[in-house]
PDB file of all heavy atoms in Angstrom:
ATOM      1  N   THR X 138       4.096   1.902  10.607  1.00  0.00           N
ATOM      2  CA  THR X 138       2.633   1.783  10.807  1.00  0.00           C
ATOM      3  C   THR X 138       1.905   2.785   9.930  1.00  0.00           C
ATOM      4  O   THR X 138       0.854   2.424   9.235  1.00  0.00           O
ATOM      5  CB  THR X 138       2.288   1.925  12.144  1.00  0.00           C
ATOM      6  OG1 THR X 138       3.001   0.957  13.001  1.00  0.00           O
ATOM      7  CG2 THR X 138       0.703   1.684  12.363  1.00  0.00           C
ATOM      8  N   GLY X 139       2.427   4.004   9.715  1.00  0.00           N
ATOM      9  CA  GLY X 139       1.859   4.964   8.786  1.00  0.00           C
ATOM     10  C   GLY X 139       1.778   4.503   7.495  1.00  0.00           C
ATOM     11  O   GLY X 139       0.810   4.875   6.700  1.00  0.00           O
ATOM     12  N   GLY X 140       2.754   3.677   7.016  1.00  0.00           N
ATOM     13  CA  GLY X 140       2.799   3.110   5.669  1.00  0.00           C
ATOM     14  C   GLY X 140       1.776   2.122   5.390  1.00  0.00           C
ATOM     15  O   GLY X 140       1.220   2.087   4.363  1.00  0.00           O
ATOM     16  N   LEU X 141       1.471   1.271   6.430  1.00  0.00           N
ATOM     17  CA  LEU X 141       0.355   0.338   6.354  1.00  0.00           C
ATOM     18  C   LEU X 141      -1.004   1.096   6.306  1.00  0.00           C
ATOM     19  O   LEU X 141      -1.884   0.758   5.411  1.00  0.00           O
ATOM     20  CB  LEU X 141       0.411  -0.580   7.592  1.00  0.00           C
ATOM     21  CG  LEU X 141      -0.715  -1.599   7.712  1.00  0.00           C
ATOM     22  CD1 LEU X 141      -0.787  -2.509   6.464  1.00  0.00           C
ATOM     23  CD2 LEU X 141      -0.562  -2.273   9.088  1.00  0.00           C
ATOM     24  N   ILE X 142      -1.150   2.043   7.122  1.00  0.00           N
ATOM     25  CA  ILE X 142      -2.510   2.676   7.307  1.00  0.00           C
ATOM     26  C   ILE X 142      -2.743   3.512   5.889  1.00  0.00           C
ATOM     27  O   ILE X 142      -3.801   3.425   5.319  1.00  0.00           O
ATOM     28  CB  ILE X 142      -2.423   3.701   8.505  1.00  0.00           C
ATOM     29  CG1 ILE X 142      -2.400   2.979   9.772  1.00  0.00           C
ATOM     30  CG2 ILE X 142      -3.679   4.675   8.344  1.00  0.00           C
ATOM     31  CD1 ILE X 142      -2.014   3.828  10.963  1.00  0.00           C
ATOM     32  N   THR X 143      -1.575   4.256   5.528  1.00  0.00           N
ATOM     33  CA  THR X 143      -1.933   5.019   4.235  1.00  0.00           C
ATOM     34  C   THR X 143      -2.109   4.177   3.032  1.00  0.00           C
ATOM     35  O   THR X 143      -2.800   4.501   2.143  1.00  0.00           O
ATOM     36  CB  THR X 143      -0.787   6.014   3.962  1.00  0.00           C
ATOM     37  OG1 THR X 143       0.464   5.325   4.106  1.00  0.00           O
ATOM     38  CG2 THR X 143      -0.810   7.136   5.071  1.00  0.00           C
ATOM     39  N   SER X 144      -1.484   2.920   3.029  1.00  0.00           N
ATOM     40  CA  SER X 144      -1.737   2.076   1.890  1.00  0.00           C
ATOM     41  C   SER X 144      -3.169   1.620   1.809  1.00  0.00           C
ATOM     42  O   SER X 144      -3.813   1.631   0.790  1.00  0.00           O
ATOM     43  CB  SER X 144      -0.776   0.755   2.059  1.00  0.00           C
ATOM     44  OG  SER X 144       0.612   1.101   1.943  1.00  0.00           O
ATOM     45  N   LEU X 145      -3.743   1.266   3.041  1.00  0.00           N
ATOM     46  CA  LEU X 145      -5.084   0.737   3.063  1.00  0.00           C
ATOM     47  C   LEU X 145      -6.130   1.881   2.746  1.00  0.00           C
ATOM     48  O   LEU X 145      -7.079   1.706   2.068  1.00  0.00           O
ATOM     49  CB  LEU X 145      -5.419   0.095   4.465  1.00  0.00           C
ATOM     50  CG  LEU X 145      -4.604  -1.146   4.789  1.00  0.00           C
ATOM     51  CD1 LEU X 145      -4.710  -1.407   6.272  1.00  0.00           C
ATOM     52  CD2 LEU X 145      -5.095  -2.345   3.932  1.00  0.00           C
ATOM     53  N   TRP X 146      -5.759   3.042   3.290  1.00  0.00           N
ATOM     54  CA  TRP X 146      -6.627   4.186   3.100  1.00  0.00           C
ATOM     55  C   TRP X 146      -6.572   4.579   1.639  1.00  0.00           C
ATOM     56  O   TRP X 146      -7.601   4.906   1.060  1.00  0.00           O
ATOM     57  CB  TRP X 146      -6.200   5.343   3.976  1.00  0.00           C
ATOM     58  CG  TRP X 146      -6.946   6.687   3.621  1.00  0.00           C
ATOM     59  CD1 TRP X 146      -8.160   6.972   4.058  1.00  0.00           C
ATOM     60  CD2 TRP X 146      -6.346   7.841   3.072  1.00  0.00           C
ATOM     61  NE1 TRP X 146      -8.502   8.183   3.608  1.00  0.00           N
ATOM     62  CE2 TRP X 146      -7.382   8.775   3.088  1.00  0.00           C
ATOM     63  CE3 TRP X 146      -5.137   8.155   2.476  1.00  0.00           C
ATOM     64  CZ2 TRP X 146      -7.190  10.200   2.547  1.00  0.00           C
ATOM     65  CZ3 TRP X 146      -4.988   9.342   1.965  1.00  0.00           C
ATOM     66  CH2 TRP X 146      -5.964  10.306   1.969  1.00  0.00           C
ATOM     67  N   SER X 147      -5.356   4.628   0.978  1.00  0.00           N
ATOM     68  CA  SER X 147      -5.346   4.980  -0.393  1.00  0.00           C
ATOM     69  C   SER X 147      -6.134   4.108  -1.328  1.00  0.00           C
ATOM     70  O   SER X 147      -6.856   4.456  -2.197  1.00  0.00           O
ATOM     71  CB  SER X 147      -3.906   5.086  -0.796  1.00  0.00           C
ATOM     72  OG  SER X 147      -3.139   5.989  -0.170  1.00  0.00           O
ATOM     73  N   HIS X 148      -6.017   2.725  -0.946  1.00  0.00           N
ATOM     74  CA  HIS X 148      -6.814   1.760  -1.750  1.00  0.00           C
ATOM     75  C   HIS X 148      -8.268   1.978  -1.537  1.00  0.00           C
ATOM     76  O   HIS X 148      -9.097   1.989  -2.577  1.00  0.00           O
ATOM     77  CB  HIS X 148      -6.489   0.394  -1.211  1.00  0.00           C
ATOM     78  CG  HIS X 148      -7.386  -0.736  -1.622  1.00  0.00           C
ATOM     79  ND1 HIS X 148      -7.366  -1.283  -2.959  1.00  0.00           N
ATOM     80  CD2 HIS X 148      -8.450  -1.296  -1.056  1.00  0.00           C
ATOM     81  CE1 HIS X 148      -8.365  -2.225  -3.142  1.00  0.00           C
ATOM     82  NE2 HIS X 148      -8.927  -2.191  -1.917  1.00  0.00           N
ATOM     83  N   SER X 149      -8.798   2.270  -0.398  1.00  0.00           N
ATOM     84  CA  SER X 149     -10.182   2.490  -0.092  1.00  0.00           C
ATOM     85  C   SER X 149     -10.731   3.712  -0.719  1.00  0.00           C
ATOM     86  O   SER X 149     -11.920   3.893  -0.877  1.00  0.00           O
ATOM     87  CB  SER X 149     -10.432   2.586   1.407  1.00  0.00           C
ATOM     88  OG  SER X 149      -9.927   3.664   1.939  1.00  0.00           O
ATOM     89  N   ARG X 150      -9.888   4.742  -1.073  1.00  0.00           N
ATOM     90  CA  ARG X 150     -10.233   5.955  -1.612  1.00  0.00           C
ATOM     91  C   ARG X 150      -9.944   6.041  -3.141  1.00  0.00           C
ATOM     92  O   ARG X 150     -10.118   7.120  -3.680  1.00  0.00           O
ATOM     93  CB  ARG X 150      -9.653   7.164  -0.900  1.00  0.00           C
ATOM     94  CG  ARG X 150      -9.913   7.261   0.545  1.00  0.00           C
ATOM     95  CD  ARG X 150     -11.384   7.297   0.861  1.00  0.00           C
ATOM     96  NE  ARG X 150     -11.756   7.525   2.285  1.00  0.00           N
ATOM     97  CZ  ARG X 150     -12.135   6.574   3.037  1.00  0.00           C
ATOM     98  NH1 ARG X 150     -12.375   5.336   2.612  1.00  0.00           N
ATOM     99  NH2 ARG X 150     -12.511   6.836   4.389  1.00  0.00           N
ATOM    100  N   GLN X 151      -9.655   4.928  -3.702  1.00  0.00           N
ATOM    101  CA  GLN X 151      -9.366   4.894  -5.141  1.00  0.00           C
ATOM    102  C   GLN X 151     -10.482   5.415  -6.007  1.00  0.00           C
ATOM    103  O   GLN X 151     -11.738   5.175  -5.589  1.00  0.00           O
ATOM    104  CB  GLN X 151      -8.943   3.566  -5.621  1.00  0.00           C
ATOM    105  CG  GLN X 151     -10.032   2.514  -5.419  1.00  0.00           C
ATOM    106  CD  GLN X 151      -9.403   1.024  -5.752  1.00  0.00           C
ATOM    107  OE1 GLN X 151      -8.628   0.904  -6.724  1.00  0.00           O
ATOM    108  NE2 GLN X 151      -9.835   0.011  -5.141  1.00  0.00           N
ATOM    109  N   GLY X 152     -10.321   6.021  -7.141  1.00  0.00           N
ATOM    110  CA  GLY X 152     -11.329   6.571  -7.945  1.00  0.00           C
ATOM    111  C   GLY X 152     -11.801   7.943  -7.569  1.00  0.00           C
ATOM    112  O   GLY X 152     -12.704   8.416  -8.276  1.00  0.00           O
ATOM    113  N   ARG X 153     -11.449   8.460  -6.476  1.00  0.00           N
ATOM    114  CA  ARG X 153     -11.812   9.777  -5.973  1.00  0.00           C
ATOM    115  C   ARG X 153     -10.838  10.888  -6.255  1.00  0.00           C
ATOM    116  O   ARG X 153     -11.144  12.071  -6.012  1.00  0.00           O
ATOM    117  CB  ARG X 153     -12.152   9.767  -4.483  1.00  0.00           C
ATOM    118  CG  ARG X 153     -13.083   8.679  -4.042  1.00  0.00           C
ATOM    119  CD  ARG X 153     -13.459   8.828  -2.599  1.00  0.00           C
ATOM    120  NE  ARG X 153     -14.189   7.570  -2.147  1.00  0.00           N
ATOM    121  CZ  ARG X 153     -14.701   7.593  -0.852  1.00  0.00           C
ATOM    122  NH1 ARG X 153     -14.477   8.455   0.034  1.00  0.00           N
ATOM    123  NH2 ARG X 153     -15.417   6.435  -0.576  1.00  0.00           N
ATOM    124  N   GLY X 154      -9.728  10.624  -6.811  1.00  0.00           N
ATOM    125  CA  GLY X 154      -8.761  11.683  -7.188  1.00  0.00           C
ATOM    126  C   GLY X 154      -8.162  12.292  -5.928  1.00  0.00           C
ATOM    127  O   GLY X 154      -7.819  13.532  -6.034  1.00  0.00           O
ATOM    128  N   ILE X 155      -7.952  11.626  -4.896  1.00  0.00           N
ATOM    129  CA  ILE X 155      -7.370  12.188  -3.734  1.00  0.00           C
ATOM    130  C   ILE X 155      -5.842  12.014  -3.670  1.00  0.00           C
ATOM    131  O   ILE X 155      -5.142  12.982  -3.407  1.00  0.00           O
ATOM    132  CB  ILE X 155      -7.926  11.473  -2.463  1.00  0.00           C
ATOM    133  CG1 ILE X 155      -9.526  11.747  -2.362  1.00  0.00           C
ATOM    134  CG2 ILE X 155      -7.345  12.017  -1.196  1.00  0.00           C
ATOM    135  CD1 ILE X 155     -10.178  11.141  -1.301  1.00  0.00           C
ATOM    136  N   VAL X 156      -5.290  10.829  -3.931  1.00  0.00           N
ATOM    137  CA  VAL X 156      -3.938  10.570  -3.733  1.00  0.00           C
ATOM    138  C   VAL X 156      -3.376  10.454  -5.122  1.00  0.00           C
ATOM    139  O   VAL X 156      -3.714   9.586  -6.009  1.00  0.00           O
ATOM    140  CB  VAL X 156      -3.754   9.256  -2.955  1.00  0.00           C
ATOM    141  CG1 VAL X 156      -2.171   8.941  -2.967  1.00  0.00           C
ATOM    142  CG2 VAL X 156      -4.313   9.246  -1.602  1.00  0.00           C
TER     143      VAL X 156
END
Side-chain angles (χ1 to χ4, degrees):
T138 304
L141 173 61
I142 294 167
T143 54
S144 294
L145 296 168
W146 174 74
S147 297
H148 168 79
S149 71
R150 300 303 186 256
Q151 60 185 327
R153 303 187 190 182
I155 296 175
V156 179

